[in-house]
Amino acid sequence: MGRFIVIEGLDGSGKSSQIELLKQSLESRGEKVHVTHEPTSYETGAYLNRILAGSDDKDIHLQAALFLADRIEHVTNPEFGIKKYLDDGYTVICDRYYYSSLAYQGTDPECDYEWVRNMNMGCSKLLKPDLCIFLDVKPEVCKDRIDSGRDNIELYEQSAAQLSGIRDGFMTVLDDLKNNCGHNIVIIDGGRDIDVISKEILSYV
Ligand code: ADP
Ligand code: TYD
């Protein structure tokens, strides 16, 4: 059985960059590594990506339910699911997981934290990660990186103030799951040099 590692952080916090470096490090040690992300590229994920792109304005409860539906398929699909890769001995590195649902949807004032928490934590089809690493980067820095990196600004990337609110949400969620659900969560300073961060992540993995 492989290990299930989740990398979380604000948009633009450096998750993809760090995941690629972690993959290379683990593979150079002879490990089999499978990298994946949420939302997925499958049907529900494609619907979510349209909502995130701003072309389909949807209620926050509906978003939370869709992210969960996408996640259940992501874990259980017999061909491409996370569980299948873990069973085959792969280390699975996942860019976002239910921590994002609790932070982005659950802590939104229009939504219901307990409901989002219960349906994710209480879903017996989902797997509890072995490790969650949160890359902590200042919201203003993330916003600059997002703006200089691409033209299409998504639903949750509108302003540094919005990102700051989401970071606060993450802090509440990570504290809750660490202290009340026994999650193995590490918060890393993601504002440093790429290679310094990468070494620290590898030490925790
Ligand atoms: P995410 O996947 O979290 O959106 P990315 O890995 O795509 O983040 O990084 C967003 C941008 O920031 C990219 O242009 C990337 O090259 C840059 N970047 C990533 N990590 C760092 C870092 N530690 N310092 C400076 N720039 C970084
Ligand atoms: P993504 O392309 O992964 O953003 P980035 O690579 O910049 O981090 O987009 C995912 C977006 O979806 C991101 O804004 C966070 C959001 N999201 C949720 O709102 N809830 C969720 O459960 C998940 C998995 C993602």
Side-chain angles (χ1 to χ4, degrees):
M1 185 82 171
R3 293 168 301 169
F4 180 20
I5 297 161
V6 172
I7 309 290
E8 288 277 6
L10 296 177
D11 303 70
S13 58
K15 298 183 303 304
S16 317
S17 312
Q18 290 302 328
I19 287 171
E20 184 51 35
L21 292 173
L22 180 59
K23 177 180 176 347
Q24 286 170 13
S25 300
L26 296 178
E27 282 180 342
S28 72
R29 298 170 174 210
E31 284 194 39
K32 295 193 290 184
V33 178
H34 174 65
V35 169
T36 186
H37 58 87
E38 293 194 1
T40 68
S41 326
Y42 306 103
E43 280 188 54
T44 314
Y47 183 19
L48 279 163
N49 278 318
R50 288 202 300 278
I51 295 172
L52 292 167
S55 49
D56 226 347
D57 185 17
K58 292 294 176 193
D59 177 83
I60 194 102
H61 297 80
L62 177 59
Q63 290 181 40
L66 288 171
F67 275 113
L68 174 61
D70 186 43
R71 184 163 301 126
I72 293 171
E73 175 145 51
H74 193 199
V75 172
T76 61
N77 187 286
E79 284 163 50
F80 56 75
I82 291 173
K83 182 167 187 320
K84 180 212 173 270
Y85 279 98
L86 292 172
D87 288 344
D88 288 349
Y90 282 79
T91 293
V92 175
I93 311 175
C94 189
D95 186 338
R96 300 190 182 278
Y97 194 57
Y98 48 39
Y99 309 95
S100 281
S101 282
L102 272 64
Y104 284 79
Q105 284 72 51
T107 67
D108 186 297
E110 304 280 304
C111 202
D112 175 347
Y113 182 70
E114 287 304 315
W115 175 68
V116 180
R117 184 185 191 276
N118 290 342
M119 73 177 174
N120 278 278
M121 296 297 116
C123 177
S124 61
K125 286 289 173 180
L126 297 186
L127 297 172
K128 182 177 177 180
D130 295 299
L131 174 65
C132 167
I133 288 177
F134 180 81
L135 282 178
D136 197 16
V137 178
K138 287 197 179 80
E140 303 75 31
V141 174
C142 291
K143 183 59 180 149
D144 284 347
R145 288 184 189 170
I146 292 164
D147 289 348
S148 59
R150 46 197 159 85
D151 298 332
N152 54 321
I153 303 302
E154 293 191 335
L155 186 63
Y156 294 109
E157 302 172 338
Q158 299 296 318
S159 65
Q162 182 190 34
L163 291 169
S164 177
I166 295 165
R167 182 188 175 275
D168 291 346
F170 262 118
M171 290 303 130
T172 305
V173 168
L174 300 180
D175 189 61
D176 176 19
L177 298 197
K178 192 169 179 172
N179 295 320
N180 303 319
C181 302
H183 278 246
N184 187 16
I185 294 171
V186 180
I187 298 174
I188 283 186
D189 175 2
R192 296 168 294 164
D193 178 78
I194 278 193
D195 293 320
V196 174
I197 303 166
S198 170
K199 282 205 184 74
E200 190 175 348
I201 290 179
L202 189 60
S203 75
Y204 283 110
V205 169

